Amino acid sequence: MERRAGASGRSRWDRRSALRGAAGALLSPLTLLAACGRPAQARPQTAAGTVVVNFQFHWANGAPWNSHTTALIQQFLDQTFNRRTRGIRAVPWGICCGKWSQIITSSLGGAGYPDIIGECCVGFASLRDAGILTPLDGYLRRDNVPTSLWSQGHVSVLQAGGQQLGLPMYDGPQVLGYRQDILDQLGLSYPAPDWNLGQAARLWQGCSGSVGGRRRYGASLEWYPGWEYLLRGFGGTEMNPGGTTCLLDSPACVAAAEWFYQLLFAQTITYRTDVAGLADGSAVFSALGGWDIFNEATLLGSRFKWNLIPFPSMAHGRFTYVNKDFWSLNRACRHPQEAWTVLRWLAAEPEWQRFIIKTALLEPSLNSLWAEWEAAILAAAPPLRTIAIGYYKEAAQRGYGIPAPFYTYAPVEARGEIATGLTQIATHKVSVKVGLQNIARQINALERSSAGAGPASFSAQRKAQEARNARLLSMFTDG
């Protein structure tokens, strides 16, 4: 959801100037820029025999999305990939995310789907279980594309059954943003980059309280479903490597959850409020993903004295949450070889990612582009030139960003069980330990009962969908 900054005479940095500055840095050399107001004239006709590949992708960070933007994107494609690649024309399908149900339905129905899926979150598990995702291992081996190009945590969560079903779209590890001006008012010192969880908790306790009849939290933090970073920091993990056994009842996971809920119940911390919590002063520290960069520039900018810092180290190391937005090849695609060529260009080559960096301020997925991202952000967004945005790069390149994993057999149902169990804990109906034991017992029963009934293949589901369509059609044609 887009959030708008309140009116303030202290900052001349707004969304329009942000996009204009970022897009202008890249797009001014393009010879067709003058035609952007006339999108149809900027799009050449598709030659006979040319395969059109449509791809879904993420346009993030609050940057405007409109007909002008889509025209610029198609213009870029036509002047780069489409101009050089004979017989293929890449066309954007739409924006991420949350359309996986629609994609599943349209893919099974045979029309209205993207050839390359660009999605996020539990959508991966839903698409996987629907048989929609094509294994990419053969393509990667054939074209000698190593998975070391990307963050290993991000790559690994996009695997299932020993197969690579997706590639990272962008990496957005979380760091903590914090209001230095509030710490100054309270006479509290700024944390050092090598701080630990105990120091953080004491500082958050020191800057939480009631201000003008309103609660101010020391920190707003990532919790479920992105809590794996905290579980790892305490020596635990949500599930076994195969994704078939819930381990939330382990002593380490219980300790991590008890730490979180103790501070939550004391109103020292709250659930993540992103940039908005910092902007309105309801949180002094807040977990900010790489996807928040645009809003950091526009909502915080030079309005406040603020900065970024890594998440504190824990007993078992430094970890943070990272997104798992991904690209996958749709099994329903009629031209998989051509679609793979586009997917490889999007995910494994730098050109598209450089474009997105400079137009939407979005982070790269390629490890090699983080220095370019940092330089581009500092050039395009003046309010961030004094901010330590390099901690995003550090988390990505050092690999301590941890995405949320998926259960193998009942991933969506498991999320429901966890949500129910955590609600019981949050409303004090059960203790943390008992709540996690209940969750683990329910999920493990789900996994056992679902293990023997794996999802039907894509072809089987498609035949079933065709049969349903035929029955529906007959209802209107018989008699």
Side-chain angles (χ1 to χ4, degrees), residues 76-97:
F76 171 75
L77 293 167
D78 290 340
Q79 291 216 351
T80 55
F81 179 87
N82 292 341
R83 174 175 289 180
R84 294 191 308 265
T85 311
R86 187 173 182 178
I88 305 175
R89 183 163 187 255
V91 175
W93 182 80
I95 61 172
C96 191
C97 292

PDB file of all heavy atoms in Angstrom, residues 76-97:
ATOM      1  N   PHE A  76      12.199   0.578 -23.251  1.00  0.00           N
ATOM      2  CA  PHE A  76      13.502   0.028 -22.868  1.00  0.00           C
ATOM      3  C   PHE A  76      13.683  -1.373 -23.448  1.00  0.00           C
ATOM      4  O   PHE A  76      14.743  -1.706 -23.999  1.00  0.00           O
ATOM      5  CB  PHE A  76      13.624  -0.010 -21.347  1.00  0.00           C
ATOM      6  CG  PHE A  76      14.834  -0.762 -20.859  1.00  0.00           C
ATOM      7  CD1 PHE A  76      16.097  -0.205 -20.942  1.00  0.00           C
ATOM      8  CD2 PHE A  76      14.706  -2.045 -20.344  1.00  0.00           C
ATOM      9  CE1 PHE A  76      17.215  -0.906 -20.507  1.00  0.00           C
ATOM     10  CE2 PHE A  76      15.805  -2.753 -19.905  1.00  0.00           C
ATOM     11  CZ  PHE A  76      17.066  -2.179 -19.996  1.00  0.00           C
ATOM     12  N   LEU A  77      12.662  -2.214 -23.331  1.00  0.00           N
ATOM     13  CA  LEU A  77      12.752  -3.568 -23.867  1.00  0.00           C
ATOM     14  C   LEU A  77      12.996  -3.543 -25.377  1.00  0.00           C
ATOM     15  O   LEU A  77      13.827  -4.299 -25.901  1.00  0.00           O
ATOM     16  CB  LEU A  77      11.461  -4.335 -23.569  1.00  0.00           C
ATOM     17  CG  LEU A  77      11.171  -4.660 -22.105  1.00  0.00           C
ATOM     18  CD1 LEU A  77       9.739  -5.133 -21.948  1.00  0.00           C
ATOM     19  CD2 LEU A  77      12.147  -5.689 -21.564  1.00  0.00           C
ATOM     20  N   ASP A  78      12.288  -2.673 -26.072  1.00  0.00           N
ATOM     21  CA  ASP A  78      12.407  -2.630 -27.530  1.00  0.00           C
ATOM     22  C   ASP A  78      13.770  -2.115 -27.982  1.00  0.00           C
ATOM     23  O   ASP A  78      14.235  -2.465 -29.069  1.00  0.00           O
ATOM     24  CB  ASP A  78      11.292  -1.764 -28.119  1.00  0.00           C
ATOM     25  CG  ASP A  78       9.925  -2.418 -28.001  1.00  0.00           C
ATOM     26  OD1 ASP A  78       9.874  -3.649 -27.818  1.00  0.00           O
ATOM     27  OD2 ASP A  78       8.908  -1.699 -28.079  1.00  0.00           O
ATOM     28  N   GLN A  79      14.412  -1.308 -27.144  1.00  0.00           N
ATOM     29  CA  GLN A  79      15.713  -0.769 -27.531  1.00  0.00           C
ATOM     30  C   GLN A  79      16.878  -1.640 -27.060  1.00  0.00           C
ATOM     31  O   GLN A  79      18.024  -1.375 -27.430  1.00  0.00           O
ATOM     32  CB  GLN A  79      15.868   0.639 -26.966  1.00  0.00           C
ATOM     33  CG  GLN A  79      14.933   1.627 -27.629  1.00  0.00           C
ATOM     34  CD  GLN A  79      15.548   3.000 -27.791  1.00  0.00           C
ATOM     35  OE1 GLN A  79      16.626   3.288 -27.275  1.00  0.00           O
ATOM     36  NE2 GLN A  79      14.876   3.843 -28.526  1.00  0.00           N
ATOM     37  N   THR A  80      16.591  -2.659 -26.268  1.00  0.00           N
ATOM     38  CA  THR A  80      17.673  -3.510 -25.751  1.00  0.00           C
ATOM     39  C   THR A  80      17.438  -4.953 -26.175  1.00  0.00           C
ATOM     40  O   THR A  80      17.806  -5.339 -27.276  1.00  0.00           O
ATOM     41  CB  THR A  80      17.765  -3.376 -24.222  1.00  0.00           C
ATOM     42  OG1 THR A  80      16.473  -3.663 -23.629  1.00  0.00           O
ATOM     43  CG2 THR A  80      18.203  -1.981 -23.817  1.00  0.00           C
ATOM     44  N   PHE A  81      16.781  -5.731 -25.344  1.00  0.00           N
ATOM     45  CA  PHE A  81      16.593  -7.156 -25.614  1.00  0.00           C
ATOM     46  C   PHE A  81      15.886  -7.401 -26.938  1.00  0.00           C
ATOM     47  O   PHE A  81      16.327  -8.217 -27.759  1.00  0.00           O
ATOM     48  CB  PHE A  81      15.808  -7.796 -24.472  1.00  0.00           C
ATOM     49  CG  PHE A  81      15.539  -9.263 -24.673  1.00  0.00           C
ATOM     50  CD1 PHE A  81      16.476 -10.202 -24.267  1.00  0.00           C
ATOM     51  CD2 PHE A  81      14.370  -9.700 -25.275  1.00  0.00           C
ATOM     52  CE1 PHE A  81      16.240 -11.562 -24.467  1.00  0.00           C
ATOM     53  CE2 PHE A  81      14.131 -11.050 -25.479  1.00  0.00           C
ATOM     54  CZ  PHE A  81      15.072 -11.975 -25.074  1.00  0.00           C
ATOM     55  N   ASN A  82      14.780  -6.729 -27.178  1.00  0.00           N
ATOM     56  CA  ASN A  82      13.998  -7.004 -28.387  1.00  0.00           C
ATOM     57  C   ASN A  82      14.741  -6.620 -29.664  1.00  0.00           C
ATOM     58  O   ASN A  82      14.578  -7.265 -30.699  1.00  0.00           O
ATOM     59  CB  ASN A  82      12.658  -6.271 -28.316  1.00  0.00           C
ATOM     60  CG  ASN A  82      11.743  -6.838 -27.239  1.00  0.00           C
ATOM     61  OD1 ASN A  82      11.926  -7.960 -26.785  1.00  0.00           O
ATOM     62  ND2 ASN A  82      10.766  -6.048 -26.805  1.00  0.00           N
ATOM     63  N   ARG A  83      15.530  -5.586 -29.602  1.00  0.00           N
ATOM     64  CA  ARG A  83      16.286  -5.168 -30.780  1.00  0.00           C
ATOM     65  C   ARG A  83      17.371  -6.182 -31.124  1.00  0.00           C
ATOM     66  O   ARG A  83      17.643  -6.439 -32.300  1.00  0.00           O
ATOM     67  CB  ARG A  83      16.904  -3.793 -30.541  1.00  0.00           C
ATOM     68  CG  ARG A  83      17.832  -3.328 -31.667  1.00  0.00           C
ATOM     69  CD  ARG A  83      18.314  -1.915 -31.448  1.00  0.00           C
ATOM     70  NE  ARG A  83      17.211  -0.964 -31.647  1.00  0.00           N
ATOM     71  CZ  ARG A  83      17.338   0.356 -31.518  1.00  0.00           C
ATOM     72  NH1 ARG A  83      18.503   0.870 -31.155  1.00  0.00           N
ATOM     73  NH2 ARG A  83      16.313   1.153 -31.731  1.00  0.00           N
ATOM     74  N   ARG A  84      17.977  -6.775 -30.105  1.00  0.00           N
ATOM     75  CA  ARG A  84      19.120  -7.666 -30.334  1.00  0.00           C
ATOM     76  C   ARG A  84      18.730  -9.119 -30.561  1.00  0.00           C
ATOM     77  O   ARG A  84      19.511  -9.899 -31.099  1.00  0.00           O
ATOM     78  CB  ARG A  84      20.082  -7.602 -29.143  1.00  0.00           C
ATOM     79  CG  ARG A  84      20.781  -6.287 -28.940  1.00  0.00           C
ATOM     80  CD  ARG A  84      21.881  -6.457 -27.913  1.00  0.00           C
ATOM     81  NE  ARG A  84      21.387  -7.077 -26.695  1.00  0.00           N
ATOM     82  CZ  ARG A  84      20.987  -6.394 -25.629  1.00  0.00           C
ATOM     83  NH1 ARG A  84      21.004  -5.078 -25.642  1.00  0.00           N
ATOM     84  NH2 ARG A  84      20.555  -7.013 -24.554  1.00  0.00           N
ATOM     85  N   THR A  85      17.565  -9.527 -30.032  1.00  0.00           N
ATOM     86  CA  THR A  85      17.219 -10.953 -29.990  1.00  0.00           C
ATOM     87  C   THR A  85      16.242 -11.282 -31.112  1.00  0.00           C
ATOM     88  O   THR A  85      15.060 -10.929 -31.058  1.00  0.00           O
ATOM     89  CB  THR A  85      16.611 -11.317 -28.627  1.00  0.00           C
ATOM     90  OG1 THR A  85      17.454 -10.811 -27.589  1.00  0.00           O
ATOM     91  CG2 THR A  85      16.491 -12.825 -28.485  1.00  0.00           C
ATOM     92  N   ARG A  86      16.717 -11.972 -32.097  1.00  0.00           N
ATOM     93  CA  ARG A  86      15.900 -12.285 -33.262  1.00  0.00           C
ATOM     94  C   ARG A  86      14.852 -13.336 -32.920  1.00  0.00           C
ATOM     95  O   ARG A  86      15.142 -14.351 -32.287  1.00  0.00           O
ATOM     96  CB  ARG A  86      16.804 -12.793 -34.388  1.00  0.00           C
ATOM     97  CG  ARG A  86      16.094 -12.992 -35.718  1.00  0.00           C
ATOM     98  CD  ARG A  86      17.087 -13.325 -36.811  1.00  0.00           C
ATOM     99  NE  ARG A  86      16.423 -13.468 -38.104  1.00  0.00           N
ATOM    100  CZ  ARG A  86      17.068 -13.711 -39.234  1.00  0.00           C
ATOM    101  NH1 ARG A  86      18.388 -13.845 -39.240  1.00  0.00           N
ATOM    102  NH2 ARG A  86      16.382 -13.834 -40.360  1.00  0.00           N
ATOM    103  N   GLY A  87      13.641 -13.080 -33.347  1.00  0.00           N
ATOM    104  CA  GLY A  87      12.577 -14.070 -33.202  1.00  0.00           C
ATOM    105  C   GLY A  87      11.868 -14.057 -31.865  1.00  0.00           C
ATOM    106  O   GLY A  87      10.968 -14.867 -31.644  1.00  0.00           O
ATOM    107  N   ILE A  88      12.246 -13.143 -30.931  1.00  0.00           N
ATOM    108  CA  ILE A  88      11.591 -13.075 -29.617  1.00  0.00           C
ATOM    109  C   ILE A  88      11.291 -11.615 -29.304  1.00  0.00           C
ATOM    110  O   ILE A  88      12.122 -10.733 -29.544  1.00  0.00           O
ATOM    111  CB  ILE A  88      12.473 -13.656 -28.496  1.00  0.00           C
ATOM    112  CG1 ILE A  88      12.910 -15.089 -28.805  1.00  0.00           C
ATOM    113  CG2 ILE A  88      11.738 -13.608 -27.155  1.00  0.00           C
ATOM    114  CD1 ILE A  88      13.868 -15.663 -27.787  1.00  0.00           C
ATOM    115  N   ARG A  89      10.114 -11.373 -28.759  1.00  0.00           N
ATOM    116  CA  ARG A  89       9.794 -10.036 -28.274  1.00  0.00           C
ATOM    117  C   ARG A  89       9.253 -10.132 -26.854  1.00  0.00           C
ATOM    118  O   ARG A  89       8.241 -10.783 -26.592  1.00  0.00           O
ATOM    119  CB  ARG A  89       8.753  -9.358 -29.168  1.00  0.00           C
ATOM    120  CG  ARG A  89       8.450  -7.923 -28.736  1.00  0.00           C
ATOM    121  CD  ARG A  89       7.757  -7.134 -29.837  1.00  0.00           C
ATOM    122  NE  ARG A  89       7.653  -5.738 -29.431  1.00  0.00           N
ATOM    123  CZ  ARG A  89       6.527  -5.153 -29.011  1.00  0.00           C
ATOM    124  NH1 ARG A  89       5.412  -5.853 -28.951  1.00  0.00           N
ATOM    125  NH2 ARG A  89       6.523  -3.886 -28.678  1.00  0.00           N
ATOM    126  N   ALA A  90       9.965  -9.521 -25.907  1.00  0.00           N
ATOM    127  CA  ALA A  90       9.553  -9.514 -24.508  1.00  0.00           C
ATOM    128  C   ALA A  90       8.561  -8.384 -24.267  1.00  0.00           C
ATOM    129  O   ALA A  90       8.764  -7.255 -24.722  1.00  0.00           O
ATOM    130  CB  ALA A  90      10.771  -9.351 -23.606  1.00  0.00           C
ATOM    131  N   VAL A  91       7.486  -8.705 -23.541  1.00  0.00           N
ATOM    132  CA  VAL A  91       6.427  -7.742 -23.247  1.00  0.00           C
ATOM    133  C   VAL A  91       6.046  -7.901 -21.777  1.00  0.00           C
ATOM    134  O   VAL A  91       5.829  -9.023 -21.308  1.00  0.00           O
ATOM    135  CB  VAL A  91       5.187  -8.005 -24.130  1.00  0.00           C
ATOM    136  CG1 VAL A  91       4.031  -7.092 -23.739  1.00  0.00           C
ATOM    137  CG2 VAL A  91       5.537  -7.833 -25.604  1.00  0.00           C
ATOM    138  N   PRO A  92       5.940  -6.805 -21.011  1.00  0.00           N
ATOM    139  CA  PRO A  92       5.539  -6.943 -19.596  1.00  0.00           C
ATOM    140  C   PRO A  92       4.076  -7.365 -19.480  1.00  0.00           C
ATOM    141  O   PRO A  92       3.200  -6.828 -20.162  1.00  0.00           O
ATOM    142  CB  PRO A  92       5.762  -5.538 -19.026  1.00  0.00           C
ATOM    143  CG  PRO A  92       5.732  -4.627 -20.202  1.00  0.00           C
ATOM    144  CD  PRO A  92       6.261  -5.403 -21.359  1.00  0.00           C
ATOM    145  N   TRP A  93       3.822  -8.328 -18.582  1.00  0.00           N
ATOM    146  CA  TRP A  93       2.460  -8.852 -18.378  1.00  0.00           C
ATOM    147  C   TRP A  93       1.703  -8.058 -17.323  1.00  0.00           C
ATOM    148  O   TRP A  93       0.510  -7.860 -17.417  1.00  0.00           O
ATOM    149  CB  TRP A  93       2.539 -10.317 -17.963  1.00  0.00           C
ATOM    150  CG  TRP A  93       1.194 -10.980 -17.760  1.00  0.00           C
ATOM    151  CD1 TRP A  93       0.366 -11.470 -18.722  1.00  0.00           C
ATOM    152  CD2 TRP A  93       0.533 -11.236 -16.511  1.00  0.00           C
ATOM    153  NE1 TRP A  93      -0.762 -12.016 -18.156  1.00  0.00           N
ATOM    154  CE2 TRP A  93      -0.692 -11.884 -16.794  1.00  0.00           C
ATOM    155  CE3 TRP A  93       0.856 -10.979 -15.180  1.00  0.00           C
ATOM    156  CZ2 TRP A  93      -1.585 -12.277 -15.802  1.00  0.00           C
ATOM    157  CZ3 TRP A  93      -0.027 -11.368 -14.191  1.00  0.00           C
ATOM    158  CH2 TRP A  93      -1.237 -12.020 -14.499  1.00  0.00           C
ATOM    159  N   GLY A  94       2.401  -7.654 -16.292  1.00  0.00           N
ATOM    160  CA  GLY A  94       1.751  -6.958 -15.180  1.00  0.00           C
ATOM    161  C   GLY A  94       2.736  -6.786 -14.051  1.00  0.00           C
ATOM    162  O   GLY A  94       3.937  -6.903 -14.260  1.00  0.00           O
ATOM    163  N   ILE A  95       2.228  -6.499 -12.881  1.00  0.00           N
ATOM    164  CA  ILE A  95       3.125  -6.265 -11.760  1.00  0.00           C
ATOM    165  C   ILE A  95       2.905  -7.309 -10.675  1.00  0.00           C
ATOM    166  O   ILE A  95       1.841  -7.898 -10.557  1.00  0.00           O
ATOM    167  CB  ILE A  95       2.958  -4.852 -11.187  1.00  0.00           C
ATOM    168  CG1 ILE A  95       1.533  -4.631 -10.672  1.00  0.00           C
ATOM    169  CG2 ILE A  95       3.326  -3.798 -12.202  1.00  0.00           C
ATOM    170  CD1 ILE A  95       1.354  -3.336  -9.917  1.00  0.00           C
ATOM    171  N   CYS A  96       3.924  -7.522  -9.885  1.00  0.00           N
ATOM    172  CA  CYS A  96       3.885  -8.419  -8.748  1.00  0.00           C
ATOM    173  C   CYS A  96       3.196  -7.665  -7.599  1.00  0.00           C
ATOM    174  O   CYS A  96       3.341  -6.454  -7.498  1.00  0.00           O
ATOM    175  CB  CYS A  96       5.329  -8.763  -8.399  1.00  0.00           C
ATOM    176  SG  CYS A  96       5.567 -10.085  -7.219  1.00  0.00           S
ATOM    177  N   CYS A  97       2.535  -8.255  -6.762  1.00  0.00           N
ATOM    178  CA  CYS A  97       2.473  -9.679  -6.477  1.00  0.00           C
ATOM    179  C   CYS A  97       1.059 -10.031  -6.040  1.00  0.00           C
ATOM    180  O   CYS A  97       0.192  -9.185  -6.020  1.00  0.00           O
ATOM    181  CB  CYS A  97       3.440 -10.071  -5.377  1.00  0.00           C
ATOM    182  SG  CYS A  97       5.163  -9.926  -5.814  1.00  0.00           S
TER     183      CYS A  97
END
